[in-house]
Amino acid sequence: MPQATLVTAAGVSPTALRVDWVATTDANTWWVIVTSPNDRSVGQRTACGTCRSIVVDHLAPGSNYFVRVVAVDEASAFGPFAIAVGTTPPAAGCELTPSGSVCATVDTRAAAGDATGAGVGSLHGIDALTADARVAAIDPSAWRLAALDYERFHEARTHGGAITLILSDPWMNATQKQAPWANWDFYEWWIGAVVDGHILRGAVPEYWEVQNEPSPSDYVGGDPATPELVFEQHRRAAAVIRTRLPDAAVIGPSSGYVRFGSGFDDAQGFLERAAATGMDLSGLSWHEIGASCLGWCDGGPRAVLQHADDARAAIAAAGLRDVELHVNEWGAPWNFRQPGAAVGYLSSLAYAGIDIANPACWDTAETGTSLSTCFARPGMLDGLLLADGATPTDAFHAHETYADMTGPEFSLVESTIADAEASVLSTVDPAGVIRVLIGRHTGCQTDLDEHCPGLAYAAARAVRTVLLTAAADGTSYTATVERIPSVAGALAAPTLLATRTLGVAGGRLDVGSYTMGDGSALSITLVPTGAPIAPTTTATTTGPTTTVPPTTAPPTTAPPTTASPTTVTPTTAPTTTTTRRARR
């Protein structure tokens, strides 16, 4: 197996490292793995076998990283690892951040694309008993449902958003996982019958998904499963669908873990076969569900950004065009109800420009027995609601806040946070209202995050947010700051930390510093007041420092703030009217 040597990693911008290495022989592919100082994965790129350099983008400013380069063969076996240390330079605007604090910047001068709201939706988790008001509050942009599940289809359709139907769910149930190639004629007839049924019932989706998470164990009978046979399954299914619906959008391969150039679920090979056969692939789909390794390998929320870079490179290399990116499951079993992790994934999906994305659903033991958040009745929106289908969790409020700051009328603006295991998202609406959402997602907390095996949250950190703006000095904003804590059970509402009027000074607006526990989220809304004020100097505030709220009695109302900002008395939010994104 080839080996990289003399690895170097140099910061080329506050959010990028250039990685170079030497190797005497070429590899099948190289993986460039980036980890935080505590060695948790925060990024990964795939480089061509002849490559000896790559730039890894979407990193945190002013941060130290371990960088490993390893050869990966076609079966996904690793060669020897070579390691280097790299540091990104700090971001502009963070010069006055106190030592020990984390600086988050929001640059309203730098547009970063449309804030489409990708990522909010559900995998199966709705029925007629799900509280309509809760569904409306998160304004889903996408649904992913089993084909032939007409009840959930029509319920989802009433709430808006694109629908993807999974063909493999009813196929595997009806045939006990029979391999389609064991009888191609029967498989093609069955696909046609399912599509005909959906046309007859007026239940035609925006997207058809042929197979969920293809793996050798999912195919019984016929020849042993191979990537070539799985692609042929997709090609034949797409051809049958388009005999009925010529403009139908077909996506694949919906792999449980995305790889390029190696493994059974090789996305690069799938794209190359699509190009070679002339298959019209509408979307490349994969899952971001933690890679089964609790963040110690390539599977954290920020990994979505580099995976999207790899996906676009592979699409271009295959000579394909107009292929959408679908992350049709996101969220790991140990953080699917964690607000900080939800913000991490949603931020990455937004800045990566993912077209369609759905949360994953996992089992919960909240009722004392194992309960599927996918198929429970009432529908739980994949665990955003408790088992009654109405009571919100902490993660629900992260989704709701994201929904309130994204949509057709909103624009993304560049934002960074100097913490490799945190994420930030910022948008602006036509009225000039700026919204910022920050999440910390180092890990998980046993007895708070389900499926978390014996781990604990990292220590709380103070996060200072600085707005970079072209607005004139004295331009004023009303700033409202709220915390979404990580709690077990219900959370009625976020905690209001402060409302105050701030002024721009020297092209910057200092929102202040607030303590964030791991797993929590912080929401900041800045509403232009229209009245100039003197430039503001903002005092540091702390807020609660408890990193793990009590779990013995889940709060039914927002928990109190144990330490209010030192110069600001919490008050009610302003009544200024702001834009809310339109339902699709």
Side-chain angles (χ1 to χ4, degrees):
M1 185 79 75
Q3 180 175 4
T5 60
L6 302 177
V7 178
T8 60
V12 293
S13 80
T15 58
L17 290 173
R18 176 189 168 99
V19 182
D20 297 275
W21 63 96
V22 173
T24 57
T25 55
D26 293 339
N28 172 57
T29 60
W30 299 97
W31 281 9
V32 179
I33 304 166
V34 181
T35 65
S36 63
N38 67 2
D39 219 17
R40 292 178 66 86
S41 176
V42 293
Q44 177 173 305
R45 286 298 311 272
T46 303
C48 66
T50 59
C51 293
R52 299 296 186 269
S53 178
I54 195 169
V55 174
V56 183
D57 290 304
H58 317 298
L59 301 176
S63 299
N64 297 321
Y65 291 96
F66 293 120
V67 179
R68 293 174 174 86
V69 180
V70 60
V72 183
D73 68 15
E74 293 181 353
S76 293
F78 293 160
F81 286 79
I83 190 168
V85 177
T87 302
T88 52
C94 294
E95 297 83 0
L96 301 180
T97 301
S99 176
S101 294
V102 176
C103 179
T105 65
V106 177
D107 191 347
T108 60
R109 305 164 303 179
D114 296 331
T116 64
V120 178
S122 185
L123 169 61
H124 305 302
I126 189 170
D127 63 11
L129 300 176
T130 307
D132 285 343
R134 300 302 186 194
V135 182
I138 65 169
D139 197 11
S141 60
W143 303 89
R144 185 167 174 251
L145 309 167
L148 304 182
D149 190 345
Y150 298 113
E151 176 200 358
R152 287 188 173 90
F153 184 100
H154 290 299
E155 190 64 33
R157 186 59 90 202
T158 65
H159 292 285
I163 295 177
T164 298
L165 287 184
I166 311 167
L167 290 163
S168 59
D169 280 11
W171 167 260
M172 294 170 72
N173 289 333
T175 67
Q176 289 74 54
K177 298 186 178 183
Q178 176 180 305
W181 47 87
N183 188 337
W184 283 123
D185 288 343
F186 176 70
Y187 179 71
E188 292 172 335
W189 170 85
W190 184 90
I191 293 290
V194 170
V195 176
D196 290 341
H198 276 273
I199 294 172
L200 182 64
R201 290 175 178 253
V204 177
E206 280 71 25
Y207 299 96
W208 299 90
E209 178 183 332
V210 177
Q211 180 72 36
N212 174 53
E213 295 189 358
S215 67
S217 63
D218 287 332
Y219 297 100
V220 176
D223 294 332
T226 64
E228 291 78 12
L229 285 171
V230 172
F231 172 77
E232 183 64 9
Q233 173 193 4
H234 283 76
R235 189 193 67 79
R236 287 176 181 252
V240 172
I241 294 167
R242 288 172 177 146
T243 62
R244 276 85 169 166
L245 299 166
D247 297 326
V250 180
I251 66 169
S254 297
S255 54
Y257 176 69
V258 64
R259 282 180 264 231
F260 299 89
S262 65
F264 184 86
D265 46 9
D266 173 17
Q268 179 178 318
F270 189 90
L271 292 165
E272 290 170 351
R273 294 180 187 96
T277 61
M279 176 189 171
D280 182 8
L281 182 66
S282 302
L284 178 69
S285 56
W286 73 90
H287 298 168
E288 296 280 357
I289 52 177
S292 301
C293 61
L294 282 165
W296 298 107
C297 66
D298 178 37
R302 294 184 73 126
V304 179
L305 292 154
Q306 288 90 10
H307 292 166
D309 287 346
D310 279 348
R312 289 192 173 94
I315 290 168
L320 297 175
R321 299 179 60 187
D322 300 323
V323 178
E324 295 181 354
L325 301 186
H326 289 220
V327 177
N328 47 15
E329 289 187 29
W330 64 262
W334 56 87
N335 63 23
F336 77 109
R337 276 179 157 173
Q338 183 192 111
V343 172
Y345 283 109
L346 292 168
S347 169
S348 293
L349 293 166
Y351 284 115
I354 300 300
D355 296 283
I356 296 289
N358 299 88
C361 50
W362 305 97
D363 290 348
T364 177
E366 70 179 61
T367 60
T369 59
S370 182
L371 180 69
S372 169
T373 64
C374 308
F375 300 107
R377 293 182 182 274
M380 299 172 66
L381 296 178
D382 303 337
L384 296 185
L385 305 177
L386 296 184
D388 63 0
T391 303
T393 64
D394 49 3
F396 172 88
H397 295 293
H399 287 243
E400 182 182 31
T401 303
Y402 177 75
D404 283 342
M405 61 188 290
T406 57
E409 69 274 25
F410 289 83
S411 298
L412 288 168
V413 293
E414 294 289 352
S415 55
T416 68
I417 185 167
D419 183 343
E421 295 166 300
S423 299
V424 58
L425 172 79
S426 306
T427 67
V428 61
D429 72 13
V433 178
I434 301 159
R435 294 172 173 86
V436 184
L437 189 56
I438 303 171
R440 291 193 62 212
H441 43 75
T442 300
C444 59
Q445 173 73 41
T446 300
D447 299 327
L448 183 60
D449 295 313
E450 294 188 86
H451 311 290
C452 183
L455 301 180
Y457 280 154
R461 303 190 72 178
V463 177
R464 173 175 174 262
T465 303
V466 179
L467 183 75
L468 306 178
T469 175
D473 281 5
T475 302
S476 63
Y477 292 85
T478 298
T480 302
V481 183
E482 295 181 303
R483 175 180 288 113
I484 307 173
S486 179
V487 302
L491 181 67
T495 304
L496 178 62
L497 299 182
T499 300
R500 64 182 308 176
T501 301
L502 304 172
V504 173
R508 299 180 185 180
L509 187 148
D510 192 338
V511 179
S513 183
Y514 294 85
T515 297
M516 289 187 66
D518 194 13
S520 71
L522 194 73
S523 169
I524 301 168
T525 303
L526 298 163
V527 180
T529 68
I533 65 170
T536 304
T537 300
T538 304
T540 298
T541 62
T542 57
T545 57
T546 303
T547 58
V548 184
T551 59
T552 54
T556 57
T557 59
T561 302
T562 57
S564 300
T566 57
T567 60
V568 181
T569 301
T571 182
T572 56
T575 57
T576 305
T577 300
T578 58
T579 303
R580 205 240 196 248
R581 74 187 180 106
R583 178 178 292 166
R584 292 157 181 80

